[in-house]
Each structure stands twice: as structure tokens, then as C-alpha cells.
Amino acid sequence: MRDRQGLGLRVEAGRLWLIDQTALPQAERWQAIDTLEAMVEAIRALRVRGAPMIAIAAALLVAVRVEAGDERPSLLEAIDRLVASRPTAVNLAHAMNTLRGALAAPDWREAVVAAADDLADRDVALCEAIGDHGAALIGSGERILTHCNTGALATAGIGTAAGVLRRAHEQGKNISVWVDETRPLLQGGRLTAWELGALGVPYTLITDNMAAAFMARGQVDRVIVGADRIAANGDVANKIGTYGLAVAAHYHGIPLAVAAPYTTIDLACASGTAIEIEQRAAEEVRGVAGAAGNLCWAPSDAPVANPAFDVTPAALITHWILDAGVFDRDAIAAGALKAAIRSAEAKP
Ligand code: MRU
């Protein structure tokens, strides 16, 4: 397994390290992940998160286990348990399918390690392509609203929606970003604010319930979000709150783009209604946890609903920013998603 260094993941001398995203931005704690149990725990607890990043981290953990001498049956079982650890983002299932294929090769040990390395390298390149295509869409001085965290912490590269923001900023487009805090787990307030600050991208942090009011005042020119799964008809599952943003953006005539690599597309889901939505623990809504400890503000037995994602119908999306290019609703209806997968898979 090759050495690599990302913002939230690194491989050094065959050892996989993840930054604990639940402790950010107050503490930068790196954790060596050597076992299946440690990786499943990290994924479930959102120590590692973001659709592409979960897939890459899980793939590299399987490579770690191959190099540790695990045999095929236990690796196949590990892959099944990793797939089940978070159900909504399809990138994880995509990566694990690739590794299942490599496990069937005669030289399967080399094949699995090479496939995991390749998935990570590809993700870096996919982010670059998304950033370049998306930045071309953005006009000078735009005030862009984003939700959750889609940056270098959420991928092996520069990110998806946040990668577009980064590229536009680097191209001198003078953009500014409204960062949605993203209740309940605050990926916007904790992670996106931290990343954009480090990059020098001008941003303003807002709570989720402020977004519509800023749109009404004419202070939002565009919304760009990421995706956990894109159905065949263009519907998109993404962090809870995305649908509300899309409804508000549509009402105010503001374009809303979804940025994602081809590994987020799931043609087996005809529409968003087929996408499984992860339900998470009540404690996440009753209070907040972080490096400073846990705080519960609701009655400790308050009944809670906590869907981690929602589905935005294609009718509310104006652009799909993929590694293959930027597509509008007509292009998606005409089969752009299928063509994007075909062209990505044709690349060596
Ligand atoms: O629960 P999370 O933090 O993993 O949710 C992340 C998102 O919803 C992102 O928008 C999506 O995974 C794309 S990350 C490039």
C-alpha cells in the first residue's frame, strides 16, 4: 500500500491513520485504524465521514488487513460489515464491490491492495475534475451557500462542492460563502468553516434556519451541495436539510447545483424514493457532543426523529457537477448519468 497524505487520512509505512472528525476543530487527534472493528466504529461515530472519504478509508482498511495476512473468507465478511456500517452513501458499496472483484483474481493479495490504492488515487483526480468543471459555472463575486462538509475531509482530494468553491476562489473569482451550520452534527460549523478558513476563502457561518431569509433578501446567488447517492432520474440524497434549501432556492429562483463523482451515482435506484435513509441516535438531536464533552439540552427521554439524509427531487436541481462535466436537467433526463459512469469506467 502506497504512502499518502490527505487532510483527514494518511497512510505511512502500511499503517492507516484517520483524523477524528468528531473532535474538530478544537482538537486534531489522529487515530491509527488497524482493525475492522476500529474502522466500523469510526464510520458509525462519524470520526470519518463524507461519502467518498468513507469509501476510501474502508478500502484502505481492507488493504491493511490483506497486508496483515487475513484470508479471503474473513476479508469478504469484513467487506459486508463495512458496507452495512452506513447505508445511504453509495460510494462505500461501490468501492467494496471493486474490492470483491479484486478478491476473485488469482493474485488477489496484490490485486486488492492495488485496487484500494487506485480507488484513492482516482478520488483525488475526480475531485480535481469536479472542481474545474464547477468553477467554470461560477461568476465573479457570487455569494454561494453550501451545506454540510464536502471538502478535503470528506474525500481523498480537494472535495466536491467545497472543491468547486476552492477552485473558484483560487481563480480570483472573489466569491464569498454562506456556510450552513448543518444540524444536528454541525459538519458545516465545525468542519467546513475550519477548512475554508484555512484556505482563506471568505465565509460567513449561519444556522440552517437563516438560509431562506438570506435568500429572500437577495443575498444568495447560488447553492452548491454534495451528494451521498444520485438516483437514475437525478434525484439526490444528501445531508438532512438539503431538501429544505432546495425548496427555498427554487422559490427564490436561485440555482442549486449538486457536485459529486460518478461513484455517487446509483443507476439501480430508479428514483430517490428507493434510497435507504440512515436513522441515527436520539442523543444527536437532544444535545451535542464534541471535543469539549457532551451537552444535553432536551429532556433526556425526549422522543426524537433523526434521519441523517433527505432526498431532493431532480426538479429542484439546476446543475449536476460531475467529473464528466456540468449537466442540466434536460441532459440528465437524456441519460447523462449513465454516460458519465461509462466514460469514467473506460478510463484506465
Ligand atoms: O453524515 P455525513 O457527514 O457523512 O454527510 C455528508 C454529506 O451529506 C455530504 O454532502 C456528502 O457525503 C458528500 S461529501 C463529498
Side-chain angles (χ1 to χ4, degrees):
M1 196 170 34
R2 284 197 293 278
D3 281 5
R4 66 183 68 245
Q5 175 75 60
L7 189 62
L9 175 152
R10 70 173 190 257
V11 177
E12 260 170 24
R15 204 144 193 229
L16 174 62
W17 295 80
L18 297 176
I19 201 164
D20 180 355
Q21 298 195 29
T22 64
L24 288 172
Q26 284 80 18
E28 292 179 35
R29 287 183 199 140
W30 286 85
Q31 187 182 358
I33 306 282
D34 303 318
T35 63
L36 170 68
E37 290 67 29
M39 181 57 77
V40 167
E41 193 279 336
I43 293 173
R44 289 216 173 110
L46 269 59
R47 297 184 204 291
V48 60
R49 46 143 302 282
M53 177 62 117
I54 295 166
I56 302 309
L60 291 171
L61 182 274
V62 175
V64 166
R65 295 313 314 162
V66 167
E67 291 188 344
D70 288 8
E71 294 297 336
R72 258 201 289 213
S74 88
L75 292 165
L76 283 167
E77 198 190 315
I79 285 173
D80 289 344
R81 283 188 53 199
L82 287 164
V83 171
S85 62
R86 285 201 85 187
T88 302
V90 78
N91 310 56
L92 177 58
H94 173 272
M96 294 301 106
N97 269 342
T98 304
L99 296 193
R100 278 193 196 102
L103 269 167
D107 58 343
W108 59 271
R109 287 196 184 273
E110 293 74 17
V112 170
V113 173
D117 271 331
D118 182 58
L119 283 163
D121 292 346
R122 267 177 185 255
D123 193 57
V124 174
L126 293 170
C127 289
E128 293 294 326
I130 290 165
D132 290 342
H133 294 311
L137 191 66
I138 292 172
S140 179
E142 282 193 7
R143 299 154 300 174
I144 304 168
L145 191 146
T146 194
H147 191 64
C148 197
N149 173 267
T150 58
L153 289 169
T155 64
I158 61 167
T160 58
V164 172
L165 301 174
R166 176 176 176 163
R167 279 288 173 267
H169 170 72
E170 287 166 355
Q171 291 169 7
K173 292 205 167 172
N174 196 26
I175 62 162
S176 58
V177 182
W178 296 108
V179 175
D180 240 8
E181 169 190 57
T182 317
R183 275 284 292 151
L185 291 169
L186 311 173
Q187 291 94 329
R190 295 186 303 103
L191 309 176
T192 302
W194 184 67
E195 281 195 36
L196 293 182
L199 292 168
V201 180
Y203 74 87
T204 304
L205 180 61
I206 59 171
T207 62
D208 301 355
N209 54 359
M210 296 174 188
F214 283 110
M215 290 182 191
R217 285 191 218 149
Q219 291 177 276
V220 179
D221 300 306
R222 188 183 299 281
V223 180
I224 309 183
V225 296
D228 285 84
R229 195 182 295 226
I230 303 178
N233 70 344
D235 291 354
V236 168
N238 191 49
K239 179 53 54 194
I240 191 75
T242 303
Y243 173 61
L245 284 177
V247 170
H250 184 73
Y251 179 78
H252 294 99
I254 297 167
L256 180 139
V258 169
Y262 80 97
T263 48
T264 304
I265 301 168
D266 185 4
L267 297 179
C269 281
S271 75
T273 51
I275 300 174
E276 183 184 349
I277 301 295
E278 176 188 3
Q279 306 293 321
R280 292 188 59 87
E283 290 69 37
E284 294 178 352
V285 175
R286 291 188 189 125
V288 70
N294 297 348
L295 175 68
C296 177
W297 53 68
S300 58
D301 61 349
V304 161
N306 188 13
F309 302 95
D310 57 26
V311 173
T312 298
L316 298 181
I317 299 168
T318 54
H319 301 94
W320 287 254
I321 305 170
L322 308 176
D323 43 289
V326 179
F327 302 94
D328 64 12
R329 221 172 284 142
D330 290 343
I332 295 296
L337 294 175
K338 201 174 189 174
I341 293 179
R342 222 183 289 126
S343 86
E345 288 181 344
K347 285 185 188 148

